[in-house]
Amino acid sequence: MSSRDPGPGHGLTRENLLAALPMALRGDLSIAALADAAARELASRPEEIDRLRIYPDICRLDEELLDILAYDFKVDWWGADYSLEEKRRTLADSWRVHKMLGTRRAVETAIRAIYPKTEVKEWFEYEGGKPYHFKLYIDLTGEKWSEERPRRVLERVEFYKSLRSHLEEFQFTARPKEPAVLRMGGTLSAVTSIPIPEKRDVFDFQNTVRMGGRTELCATLPLPEGRDSFDFHSRLRVGGGAGLHTSLPVPQERDELRFTGTLRTGGQPAVRTVLPIPEA
């Protein structure tokens, strides 16, 4: 037997309807004939009669009928833009909300019809709370929402909260289903200084500097005197809008100067290179 089937003794049949006729009226032939005609007509239209089962079957009502019932039952916090399931939950809970108006439970019940993960904390449940204030926490994870909808939901709080209570703060949270990647960029200013000790016959530089974003870079390579050989193997790469200044002072009295360098710039750079060469 299905949940809607009341059983053979309680079904919508001609026999069951006539069984409800009072005994005092059954002896009146005209009343009995009228009752029999009405019973036959009602028993032949079970589908139409079944549509009158509003309260136990809200979960099957169409959207147009839900809008009409919300107006008739004064569901003032109703939203025309709610989804079909949200409207069904809102209407189903509306009687409890009306019964509990002005309480914490009314606020939670009304909002949970739209956002099931809603919690209300009263002033004595959090630090620094003021009497007759409360906070509202709504978890939007997995919910469909727009920037406008949360604001409209909060406006409707006035319909079912206590008149003496005030909404002090509300928080919306949403957790991503998958790990999120946060990328950040900014303006970088870098200074690279490579001091060269004295008393070295060979200097071998093998450095790679990579920088991105908007950079300002200054590299200073002082070369001491008394060196027979200088060998540079370095790469400097900058990206973005860069301003770059490279200074390579070369001391006098050198037998051999050998520069093997690579300078790469990207974006819209300003490059200045100074290579002072000693006189012969």
Side-chain angles (χ1 to χ4, degrees):
M1 184 182 347
S2 65
S3 59
R4 290 189 178 184
D5 189 356
H10 302 281
L12 190 63
T13 65
R14 170 180 171 274
E15 291 75 14
N16 289 337
L17 291 172
L18 289 176
L21 188 66
M23 294 296 296
L25 299 178
R26 294 181 184 180
D28 189 323
L29 296 180
S30 60
I31 297 296
L34 180 61
D36 183 70
R40 289 177 181 274
E41 186 65 23
L42 291 174
S44 65
R45 308 176 69 175
E47 294 183 358
E48 296 181 37
I49 294 175
D50 193 52
R51 294 186 60 186
L52 300 177
R53 295 161 52 93
I54 294 176
Y55 305 110
D57 284 341
I58 290 179
C59 61
R60 67 176 178 84
L61 299 181
D62 56 54
E63 190 167 5
E64 182 179 1
L65 183 54
L66 290 170
D67 290 335
I68 294 174
L69 292 175
Y71 178 81
D72 290 343
F73 290 110
K74 290 188 174 297
V75 186
D76 298 324
W77 55 96
W78 190 260
D81 61 337
Y82 291 169
S83 68
L84 179 59
E85 290 303 319
E86 290 170 346
K87 287 184 176 182
R88 287 171 175 172
R89 291 197 300 263
T90 300
L91 183 63
D93 293 334
S94 63
W95 290 278
R96 284 194 292 271
V97 173
H98 275 122
K99 187 177 181 179
M100 300 182 295
L101 281 177
T103 67
R104 167 182 180 169
R105 187 63 177 170
V107 176
E108 287 184 336
T109 301
I111 299 182
R112 283 178 179 174
I114 309 303
Y115 299 119
K117 301 174 184 177
T118 298
E119 182 182 5
V120 172
K121 287 189 177 182
E122 299 192 64
W123 63 273
F124 50 83
E125 295 180 308
Y126 55 87
E127 185 177 356
K130 301 177 182 179
Y132 308 118
H133 286 69
F134 66 97
K135 293 184 178 181
L136 186 61
Y137 301 88
I138 301 178
D139 190 345
L140 301 175
T141 303
E143 301 291 335
K144 294 181 179 180
W145 72 291
S146 62
E147 184 178 354
E148 180 70 13
R149 173 175 282 197
R151 184 183 64 81
R152 294 183 60 187
V153 170
L154 293 175
E155 289 176 351
R156 287 167 171 75
V157 172
E158 299 295 328
F159 290 110
Y160 33 77
K161 75 174 184 62
S162 172
L163 292 178
R164 69 179 183 180
S165 298
H166 303 279
L167 178 59
E168 180 178 353
E169 179 182 325
F170 61 89
Q171 293 184 11
F172 295 103
T173 60
R175 299 176 179 84
K177 296 181 180 179
E178 299 179 356
V181 177
L182 179 62
R183 296 184 173 91
M184 301 180 64
T187 301
L188 174 66
S189 178
V191 177
T192 302
S193 178
I194 305 177
I196 300 175
E198 298 182 359
K199 297 182 181 179
R200 296 290 181 274
D201 294 334
V202 178
F203 297 97
D204 188 1
F205 297 91
Q206 295 180 350
N207 301 314
T208 300
V209 179
R210 296 186 176 91
M211 306 182 67
R214 185 174 183 87
T215 64
E216 296 289 340
L217 185 144
C218 176
T220 303
L221 303 176
L223 302 181
E225 298 182 358
R227 297 295 167 268
D228 296 331
S229 175
F230 297 95
D231 189 3
F232 295 91
H233 298 281
S234 59
R235 289 174 299 185
L236 180 62
R237 297 173 182 167
V238 295
L244 184 145
H245 178 195
T246 302
S247 178
L248 299 176
V250 180
Q252 300 180 3
E253 298 181 359
R254 293 295 165 270
D255 297 331
E256 181 183 2
L257 293 176
R258 189 168 65 253
F259 295 90
T260 305
T262 302
L263 178 63
R264 299 175 182 173
T265 60
Q268 298 178 354
V271 179
R272 179 186 177 190
T273 303
V274 180
L275 298 176
I277 306 298
E279 298 180 357

